[in-house]
Amino acid sequence: MKDKSMSQTVSTYLQWIAERAAESKEWQYYSLANHIDVELLDEASRRIRKNAAAGVDGETVENYRENLKENLENLHMRLKENRYRATPAKRVWLEKDDGGKRPIGMLVIEDKIVQRAVSMLLEPIYEEDFYDFSYGFRRGRNPHQAIKIIREKCMSNKCGWIIDADIKGYFDTIDHKNLQEQIAHRIKDGGIKRLIGKWLNAGVSEEGELSYPKSGTQQGGSISPLLSNIYLHYVLDEWFVKEVQPRLRGKSYLIRFCDDFIIGCEFKDDAERIMEVLPKRMKKYELTLHPEKTKLADFRKPEGDVKRETFTFLGFTHYWGKSKRGYWVVKRKTRKKKLIKKRKEINEWCKKNRHEPIKAQHKHLCSVLRGHFNYFGVRSNYQRMQLLRYYTIVIWRKWLNRRGGKNFITWEKFNRILENFPLPIPKIIHSI
């Protein structure tokens, strides 16, 4: 819990919160908001990325920090006197792997700071409540740990019936009333609950139009990941542990990364029973499982030449394959849609920036490939990483050829360019 970069006062108080939360899951907090002082706000401001996008007011982090002390003192006074008002988020859309679009809310700097401060107070409480199988947006946890556990469960526990679930528009459909009721189990502080209510009801600005959605949390907000974890902790995690597992006749497990989760069962009938009640459980809390993306896969260890189904989770396709020694093992490879999306992104960037100096283009492409390899660099995935590198080479040469003029770049000439500006070679980063 301790952070060397954090002030002693802030660190001590957060440690105290964590200790109280660890003592009892029934402990309730009545005076957290009193500890949102200038010191905590300063710590929260330092955790905001310098290049964080500006909100509807156009103010950047750099501009806000020019008079940081005065700004934070003013912000603290407005919080203390209940004059702080949440500002509508500026909405932008990002493309998803399935061709759809995901809304992202860009908050003003002050909202980001206050949300971060409240998150710092709430995280040590809910860290004691969250289950070990929840990996999303938690300190010290990452997607690769979740992937490793899945492999171990499938190979050692024989839980080969996999429910691959997808919640439709999760962040946009979180019910505000249910969320507030869930938070009230632990948090009785009216100040904290009012702040969360202000953010939930702040509204959205899109192309000059202001709207006030009655459900959902803003993806892009500092507190949104925590709120989304709290919601599914009560809706899914506790329900699975306390009500579902005791009624199953075989082994089972749940692995969740925020709104992405899979459930593994030893027996098919157990999995079918869960598949039957899961949509009803979600509907009770205003959530909907995507009918086409939620499926039950037979992922049992193959026998002989019988092929098994696959499932996707956290950007990887999980499948059974033979090891070098001839044993059946669970392997992973980059999901095909992820690969296609990344190829399209590289193609679009090279098209728009083909007239930039080769050195600048090379720097960007290296950054893109390294980022991809750092995440997807797991055993059994080398071939698909190499395939993306090959796509990048072909795309880069294609758009360099279309810069105009008579300088046609043959492969021989382009290979000489690659000798001077080599692209990163795929590496296995995660030995899982």
Side-chain angles (χ1 to χ4, degrees):
M1 187 64 222
K2 291 184 178 180
D3 188 332
K4 292 181 180 180
S5 65
M6 195 185 303
S7 73
Q8 185 62 40
T9 304
V10 173
S11 178
T12 300
Y13 183 64
L14 296 184
Q15 185 68 30
W16 179 86
I17 293 176
E19 290 171 357
R20 297 292 80 74
E23 287 177 5
S24 172
K25 291 191 177 183
E26 304 301 321
W27 187 286
Q28 296 176 324
Y29 296 80
Y30 289 84
S31 58
L32 289 173
N34 294 338
H35 295 275
I36 304 178
D37 53 18
V38 174
E39 193 171 7
L40 181 63
L41 292 172
D42 180 59
E43 178 63 36
S45 71
R46 292 196 286 116
R47 298 190 179 195
I48 305 299
R49 291 184 296 106
K50 294 180 180 179
N51 61 344
V56 293
D57 61 356
E59 185 169 38
T60 64
V61 175
E62 185 179 359
N63 289 339
Y64 191 85
R65 286 178 176 171
E66 288 179 359
N67 298 296
L68 183 61
K69 183 179 179 181
E70 294 82 355
N71 288 335
L72 293 181
E73 288 176 349
N74 179 273
L75 175 59
H76 174 247
M77 187 59 65
R78 282 183 281 128
L79 286 166
K80 190 176 181 180
E81 297 175 355
N82 198 27
R83 292 187 292 111
Y84 162 80
R85 297 290 180 267
T87 304
K90 182 170 69 174
R91 175 173 284 177
V92 296
W93 295 86
L94 299 180
E95 288 190 9
K96 297 169 62 176
D97 296 336
D98 58 7
K101 291 189 175 182
R102 175 184 290 108
I104 299 294
M106 300 164 70
L107 277 61
V108 299
I109 303 303
E110 286 196 339
D111 285 350
K112 291 177 182 178
I113 292 173
V114 183
Q115 285 194 15
R116 178 68 67 183
V118 172
S119 295
M120 290 169 64
L121 294 174
L122 297 184
E123 282 172 357
I125 299 172
Y126 286 101
E127 273 301 309
E128 298 298 331
D129 291 359
F130 292 157
Y131 290 95
D132 286 340
F133 54 72
S134 172
Y135 289 88
F137 306 115
R138 296 176 62 188
R139 183 177 296 188
R141 291 169 174 263
N142 59 61
H144 299 97
Q145 293 172 335
I147 293 168
K148 180 180 179 181
I149 293 297
I150 291 173
R151 185 177 189 273
E152 293 174 356
K153 294 286 187 182
C154 290
M155 293 184 63
S156 61
N157 287 5
K158 299 181 179 180
C159 293
W161 292 98
I162 303 295
I163 298 173
D164 182 5
D166 184 275
I167 301 176
K168 193 174 181 179
Y170 174 61
F171 284 89
D172 297 328
T173 54
I174 293 176
D175 183 74
H176 293 174
K177 182 181 178 181
N178 284 328
L179 176 60
Q180 291 280 34
E181 289 176 354
Q182 292 166 356
I183 292 172
H185 290 317
R186 275 289 211 174
I187 310 302
K188 296 297 184 181
D189 187 327
I192 296 295
K193 291 195 287 186
R194 280 193 298 273
L195 283 174
I196 293 175
K198 288 178 180 181
W199 296 324
L200 292 177
N201 298 294
V204 173
S205 175
E206 184 175 1
E207 296 182 354
E209 295 291 329
L210 190 60
S211 62
Y212 296 90
K214 295 183 179 180
S215 63
T217 65
Q218 289 292 343
Q219 284 182 269
S222 302
I223 202 168
S224 183
L226 177 61
L227 295 181
S228 64
N229 264 338
I230 292 172
Y231 201 71
L232 277 184
H233 169 74
Y234 289 102
V235 173
L236 178 65
D237 301 354
E238 281 210 334
W239 171 73
F240 182 77
V241 171
K242 296 181 178 180
E243 296 186 36
V244 175
Q245 283 189 312
R247 291 176 169 82
L248 302 180
R249 69 186 184 95
K251 297 176 182 177
S252 64
Y253 67 90
L254 166 66
I255 300 292
R256 182 171 69 83
F257 193 94
C258 195
D259 61 321
D260 293 331
F261 67 93
I262 66 163
I263 297 174
C265 295
E266 183 179 1
F267 298 115
K268 183 180 182 181
D269 59 333
D270 282 342
E272 289 174 336
R273 289 170 62 195
I274 296 175
M275 282 286 285
E276 183 179 350
V277 298
L278 190 58
K280 299 175 184 177
R281 176 68 180 180
M282 292 294 163
K283 185 177 180 180
K284 181 179 178 180
Y285 291 91
E286 309 299 330
L287 300 176
T288 305
L289 289 179
H290 200 297
E292 297 176 359
K293 296 181 181 179
T294 301
K295 67 175 184 177
L296 175 60
D298 182 357
F299 199 69
R300 292 173 297 169
K301 186 176 180 178
E303 297 178 358
D305 295 327
V306 177
K307 291 185 177 181
R308 296 299 188 193
E309 295 175 281
T310 65
F311 67 92
T312 60
F313 187 62
L314 299 179
F316 290 93
T317 295
H318 301 252
Y319 66 101
W320 285 97
K322 288 288 187 73
S323 68
K324 292 181 178 179
R325 296 183 178 181
Y327 299 111
W328 285 109
V329 295
V330 175
K331 296 186 175 184
R332 291 121 328 194
K333 58 186 177 182
T334 307
R335 187 183 182 188
K336 189 174 181 179
K337 288 183 178 179
K338 283 278 185 184
L339 195 63
I340 293 173
K341 181 183 177 183
K342 183 59 67 175
R343 184 180 65 184
K344 288 180 178 179
E345 289 175 358
I346 293 172
N347 184 74
E348 191 64 26
W349 189 91
C350 287
K351 177 182 178 181
K352 291 181 179 179
N353 295 274
R354 61 185 182 273
H355 297 294
E356 295 294 319
I358 289 179
K359 185 177 181 179
Q361 294 187 45
H362 173 257
K363 182 179 180 180
H364 175 82
L365 293 175
C366 286
S367 177
V368 170
L369 289 178
R370 288 195 191 99
H372 185 89
F373 297 159
N374 284 341
Y375 181 82
F376 288 100
V378 303
R379 289 181 180 178
S380 72
N381 195 35
Y382 189 88
Q383 186 176 0
R384 288 215 164 169
M385 289 193 294
Q386 184 65 32
L387 186 60
L388 180 65
R389 184 178 185 272
Y390 169 75
Y391 287 150
T392 303
I393 290 172
V394 173
I395 291 168
W396 195 15
R397 175 182 174 270
K398 178 183 75 173
W399 289 111
L400 286 179
N401 260 332
R402 299 187 183 184
R403 282 155 55 119
K406 300 180 180 180
N407 295 324
F408 180 76
I409 301 178
T410 64
W411 273 107
E412 182 179 357
K413 184 177 180 179
F414 185 68
N415 285 333
R416 288 198 296 269
I417 293 176
L418 286 178
E419 288 178 2
N420 294 320
F421 299 98
L423 293 176
I425 303 295
K427 291 183 180 180
I428 304 303
I429 307 295
H430 310 281
S431 182
I432 57 175

